[in-house]
């Protein structure tokens, strides 16, 4: 199937799941799966940049992932730190603009510094917007946005009856990007696991059993092809959409 740019999603959001099971299948410790998963991240970023996708949001660590064994959490942090250290210059060369979302203040100071630097280095780039969700939760996101509006009310610059969906949207993470058009979850689970709850309201969902380390160009292309066949109605009838096409 030939995909024209208009049938490509502008923004893709991915739950990168299945690293642990990938390692288990090979009788390896779970962290081998996370390392292999990082390779997939490189591949997918490259592919999105080549396809001129506007934005890619990757779920790297959820607000619930702290419940994992301490050793795994610490290894994931180390992996995140070394990836930032090693990849930022390359991302910058490739015109990628990096943005990290989540409750970052709980991370070690060194990691927060790295994140801030990476964002500063790449801030003027005009290519792919690469968003990494780390210690992110959709509930947290909505609560933070609500707090910001509440502060405006406290300061007397906003009245509660003036709150609209639009106003709340502006305070939610990724307000500067179009909402995700395509959501992909690898690893076979069919749930959203507290990812971008607000932003996914009208996103097309694609679930694949492929484990994240095995997710390659062919499986990614299948997801894009599935997206290209979908009729996005946003509440209207199919006939209305066809008439406007
Ligand atoms: C996703 O893979 C990576 C993170 C949550 C950091 P998992 O580690 O959840 O892999 P499975 O689901 O156990 O296979
Ligand atoms: C979701 O995967 C979070 C990330 C991929 C970072 P999980 O593997 O943690 O999700 P659940 O707990 O199985 O829903
Ligand atoms: Mg999992």
């Amino acid at each position: 199937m030939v995909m024209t740019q208009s049938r490509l999603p502008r923004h893709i959001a991915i739950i990168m799941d299945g690293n642990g099971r990938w390692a288990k299948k090979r009788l390896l410790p779970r962290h081998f799966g996370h390392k292999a998963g990082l390779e997939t991240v490189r591949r997918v970023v490259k592919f999105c940049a080549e396809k001129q996708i506007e934005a890619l949001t990757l779920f790297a660590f959820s607000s619930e992932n702290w419940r994992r064994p301490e050793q795994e959490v610490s290894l994931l942090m180390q992996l995140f730190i070394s990836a930032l250290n090693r990849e930022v210059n390359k991302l910058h060369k490739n015109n990628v603009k990096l943005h990290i979302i989540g409750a970052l203040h709980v991370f070690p100071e060194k990691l927060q510094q790295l994140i801030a630097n990476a964002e500063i280095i790449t801030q003027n780039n005009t290519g792919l917007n690469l968003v990494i969700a780390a210690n992110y939760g959709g509930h947290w996101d909505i609560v933070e946005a609500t707090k910001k509006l509440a502060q405006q009310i406290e300061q007397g610059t906003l009245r509660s009856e003036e709150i609209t969906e639009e106003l709340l949207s502006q305070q939610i993470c990724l307000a500067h990007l179009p909402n995700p058009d395509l959501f992909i979850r690898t690893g076979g689970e069919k749930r959203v696991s507290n990812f971008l709850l607000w932003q996914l309201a009208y996103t097309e969902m694609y679930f694949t059993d492929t484990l994240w380390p095995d997710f390659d160009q062919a499986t990614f292309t299948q997801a894009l092809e599935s997206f290209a066949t979908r009729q996005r109605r946003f509440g209207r009838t199919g006939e209305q959409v066809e008439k406007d096409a």
Side-chain angles (χ1 to χ4, degrees):
M1 183 192 296
V2 180
M3 279 179 283
T4 60
Q5 198 70 22
S6 65
R7 300 296 274 166
L8 276 174
R10 288 177 67 188
H11 184 174
I12 303 173
I14 306 184
I15 298 190
M16 313 183 283
D17 198 16
N19 293 350
R21 278 163 286 163
W22 182 91
K24 198 171 175 190
K25 257 177 43 184
R26 288 162 178 75
L27 306 176
L28 294 167
R30 292 177 59 87
H31 71 259
F32 279 84
H34 296 313
K35 283 197 181 130
L38 186 57
E39 282 303 317
T40 307
V41 172
R42 289 195 188 96
R43 271 205 301 273
V44 167
V45 168
K46 188 162 170 267
F47 188 57
C48 283
E50 280 166 11
K51 288 248 173 234
Q52 293 180 311
I53 303 285
E54 198 172 317
L56 172 67
T57 299
L58 301 175
F59 206 5
F61 192 87
S62 77
S63 43
E64 287 71 35
N65 286 145
W66 296 106
R67 295 182 181 154
R68 294 192 177 200
E70 213 179 299
Q71 201 198 3
E72 179 167 347
V73 170
S74 136
L75 197 121
L76 284 166
M77 290 301 142
Q78 282 168 34
L79 209 58
F80 192 23
I81 291 174
S82 70
L84 276 174
N85 269 324
R86 278 189 289 145
E87 306 292 330
V88 170
N89 286 337
K90 200 169 104 196
L91 290 172
H92 183 43
K93 266 192 213 126
N94 290 322
N95 200 20
V96 173
K97 185 170 174 172
L98 192 63
H99 186 45
I100 319 289
I101 56 169
L104 305 179
H105 63 277
V106 302
F107 286 140
E109 193 61 37
K110 186 175 137 198
L111 179 52
Q112 288 186 52
Q113 272 299 321
L114 272 175
I115 290 171
N117 285 343
E119 289 185 337
I120 290 167
I121 291 169
T122 62
Q123 67 184 347
N124 294 321
N125 289 342
T126 54
L128 175 71
N129 286 281
L130 174 60
V131 181
I132 307 290
N135 193 20
Y136 175 87
H139 285 169
W140 165 86
D141 195 355
I142 295 167
V143 168
E144 288 304 300
T146 308
K147 279 189 202 162
K148 286 180 192 139
L149 293 185
Q151 280 159 9
Q152 291 177 25
I153 292 175
E154 279 172 3
Q155 288 158 3
T157 54
L158 180 69
R159 288 182 302 130
S160 61
E161 55 272 29
E162 288 169 346
I163 296 177
T164 57
E165 290 183 18
E166 181 54 33
L167 215 59
L168 189 63
S169 285
Q170 287 166 11
Q171 302 299 337
I172 295 263
C173 286
L174 309 184
H176 61 296
L177 294 172
N179 279 327
D181 302 293
L182 173 63
F183 162 99
I184 299 172
R185 181 170 188 146
T186 61
E189 311 301 347
K190 288 169 189 68
R191 53 180 174 251
V192 179
S193 299
N194 200 15
F195 196 25
L196 307 162
L197 299 180
W198 177 277
Q199 300 86 336
L200 293 177
Y202 253 112
T203 303
E204 297 295 327
M205 312 298 267
Y206 184 85
F207 297 94
T208 169
D209 289 338
T210 302
L211 304 172
W212 179 247
D214 293 328
F215 189 74
D216 58 11
Q217 188 152 330
T219 37
F220 197 6
T221 303
Q222 278 167 17
L224 292 178
E225 284 177 354
S226 167
F227 175 81
T229 63
R230 307 211 189 164
Q231 185 187 52
R232 304 187 75 192
R233 291 194 280 275
F234 297 100
R236 297 191 300 163
T237 67
E239 290 73 21
Q240 284 177 302
V241 175
E242 275 160 31
K243 207 164 134 245
D244 284 357

